[in-house]
Amino acid sequence: MLIKSSNNNRISENEVTDPNVYHSRRDILKKLGFLGAGTLLSTNAQANPFGWFSKKDSVQFETTPLDFENSSIKLNEPVQKLTEQGVATSYNNFYEFGTSKSAPKEKGQELTVNPWLLEIGGLVENPITLNYEDLLKRFTLEERIYRLRCVEAWSMVIPWIGFELSNILKEAKPLGSAKYVSFQTLYRPEQMPGQNSRFLGGGIDYPYVEGLRLDEAMHPLTLLSVGMYGETLPPQNGAPVRLVLPWKYGFKSIKSLVKIELTEKEPPTTWNILAANEYGFYANVNPNVDHPRWSQARERRIMGSGLNSHKRIDTQMFNGYDEVASMYSNMDLTRYY
Ligand code: MTE
């Protein structure tokens, strides 16, 4: 997150909106038998259909095609050109594995995700613990194509698979005193080398923590994701379960979740602890409020790895998800950045 981004170079935006991209991909997956396969294999049980990891013999982790055939597919926006899967899964921020963009994929493959427990507790009537199978089976999965805008001024378009966080929160029944929701990533230094060293892990005090106001957590756009591109999440993208908040800077979308807790007070958040003047609690995408060290007015849309697969485009307020605006109507967003 310490990268500088130039914001000149005003190439005109030419976002390709092509519904066929998305639908044809689903058709291909279907023809190949990857959809509706009813799979719940162990993480090693089946070869990755796209073979992303095939170059490395040492790789332990393989994703599994997800069964979301019967789900209602909701698209919240006109389908934009998707970022290539190979790019979205190899250019990552996941400091638990190191601070470079390539480290999460290089160092993350031995993360074990089954068994896994995600606890939902704190100020709730009905605490819940979900195991690995619950995460994939208990809620109806749907695919959502969202823009992801990193605070470093790059962005991608990613087809996530998951379910609304509100589904779990409603089951857990928040008490009247609950005003916020805190989130915590796995702490497992033996598999996450960045947690072993302040140098490798970017100076963060682990575990990585995040937070939302309760109304933000209950918002229909707020997704708990268990997959992307039709498969379970690879470690570098936050296996086996992560948050996805498309109207906020990417650092709010906390990965590899083990704990969700309802609280009365605003919970501490990792990047805010590290540099409060640079990273706020809200972190809504806002082209009018610059990062102290770079502009947020524009972004680099990453679609692929080729020469013409990056474009400079204008950043939109709330990353274009206007439906969230009413949650902040009484707030000065230059103060609550
Ligand atoms: N979650 C944890 N636990 N650790 C991290 O370092 N990085 C965040 C977020 N979630 C991060 C994290 C940042 S800065 C971004 S931009 C997104 O993850 C990147 O998600 P992606 O790698 O799936 O694109």
Side-chain angles (χ1 to χ4, degrees):
M1 310 259 270
L2 305 172
I3 290 174
K4 285 205 175 183
S5 144
S6 77
N7 68 326
N8 38 31
N9 196 8
R10 295 184 71 86
I11 297 167
S12 73
E13 156 65 335
N14 178 24
E15 273 296 294
V16 186
T17 298
D18 182 1
N20 297 325
V21 172
Y22 164 74
H23 290 295
S24 66
R25 196 183 56 78
R26 270 186 71 82
D27 287 348
I28 289 164
L29 288 171
K30 216 181 236 170
K31 279 190 197 114
L32 293 174
F34 292 134
L35 292 186
T39 47
L40 227 199
L41 306 175
S42 85
T43 49
N44 287 328
Q46 180 165 327
N48 182 310
F50 297 94
W52 297 114
F53 305 132
S54 57
K55 281 180 229 128
K56 274 192 173 179
D57 292 339
S58 60
V59 161
Q60 311 258 310
F61 195 97
E62 283 176 353
T63 53
T64 302
L66 268 164
D67 178 9
F68 59 105
E69 179 70 341
N70 298 319
S71 65
S72 57
I73 293 167
K74 293 187 199 161
L75 300 181
N76 303 92
E77 57 180 271
V79 178
Q80 293 180 316
K81 192 167 175 184
L82 296 180
T83 297
E84 285 171 21
Q85 183 183 14
V87 173
T89 56
S90 60
Y91 185 90
N92 301 102
N93 279 331
F94 200 167
Y95 278 25
E96 283 83 342
F97 297 108
T99 56
S100 73
K101 294 288 182 284
S102 57
K105 183 174 175 188
E106 283 164 15
K107 306 258 171 64
Q109 303 307 314
E110 287 178 23
L111 180 73
T112 47
V113 299
N114 188 6
W116 191 270
L117 291 179
L118 171 59
E119 291 175 357
I120 300 99
L123 299 174
V124 295
E125 231 173 84
N126 180 29
I128 298 173
T129 301
L130 301 177
N131 65 24
Y132 182 76
E133 185 159 331
D134 294 331
L135 290 169
L136 301 186
K137 290 270 164 166
R138 182 152 154 188
F139 301 92
T140 305
L141 300 180
E142 52 183 88
E143 183 168 63
R144 299 233 185 142
I145 298 178
Y146 281 161
R147 294 179 290 273
L148 173 83
R149 168 59 158 85
C150 180
V151 75
E152 296 164 348
W154 53 264
S155 62
M156 295 186 184
V157 181
I158 297 178
W160 302 104
I161 296 154
F163 51 90
E164 289 177 17
L165 174 63
S166 66
N167 290 345
I168 297 189
L169 295 182
K170 280 180 205 153
E171 269 190 34
K173 298 195 181 147
L175 300 177
S177 52
K179 300 281 180 286
Y180 293 89
V181 186
S182 76
F183 302 86
Q184 190 176 309
T185 292
L186 176 73
Y187 181 72
R188 196 186 282 162
E190 63 278 19
Q191 290 184 347
M192 295 177 142
Q195 292 180 337
N196 267 326
S197 131
R198 285 191 76 76
F199 173 70
L200 276 182
I204 289 175
D205 262 335
Y206 292 100
Y208 192 103
V209 287
E210 257 306 334
L212 293 173
R213 238 172 36 197
L214 184 56
D215 59 333
E216 299 178 309
M218 294 295 287
H219 195 279
L221 281 178
T222 301
L223 199 70
L224 269 190
S225 169
V226 295
M228 62 197 296
Y229 298 91
E231 299 169 17
T232 48
L233 289 175
Q236 59 270 33
N237 294 92
V241 60
R242 70 173 293 172
L243 200 59
V244 183
L245 298 157
W247 74 97
K248 291 182 179 282
Y249 290 122
F251 66 86
K252 299 289 291 181
S253 292
I254 179 172
K255 297 177 171 180
S256 302
L257 280 170
V258 291
K259 201 184 260 187
I260 299 177
E261 211 167 9
L262 284 90
T263 63
E264 197 171 350
K265 297 216 168 84
E266 183 182 295
T269 59
T270 284
W271 281 95
N272 185 256
I273 295 167
L274 219 58
N277 64 325
E278 302 195 354
Y279 308 105
F281 174 80
Y282 284 92
N284 292 318
V285 174
N286 189 342
N288 308 314
V289 175
D290 286 339
H291 186 280
R293 289 181 286 125
W294 59 83
S295 164
Q296 294 292 22
R298 288 169 68 75
E299 68 202 53
R300 182 168 57 98
R301 172 64 53 82
I302 304 174
M303 293 166 295
S305 51
L307 270 183
N308 295 319
S309 54
H310 296 206
K311 280 182 185 164
R312 298 243 170 231
I313 60 174
D314 287 338
T315 289
Q316 302 174 68
M317 187 67 209
F318 301 120
N319 205 18
Y321 297 94
D322 300 333
E323 58 264 55
V324 301
S326 59
M327 290 194 290
Y328 311 104
S329 51
N330 297 323
M331 290 171 65
D332 174 359
L333 296 181
T334 59
R335 183 161 167 226
Y336 296 101
Y337 51 88

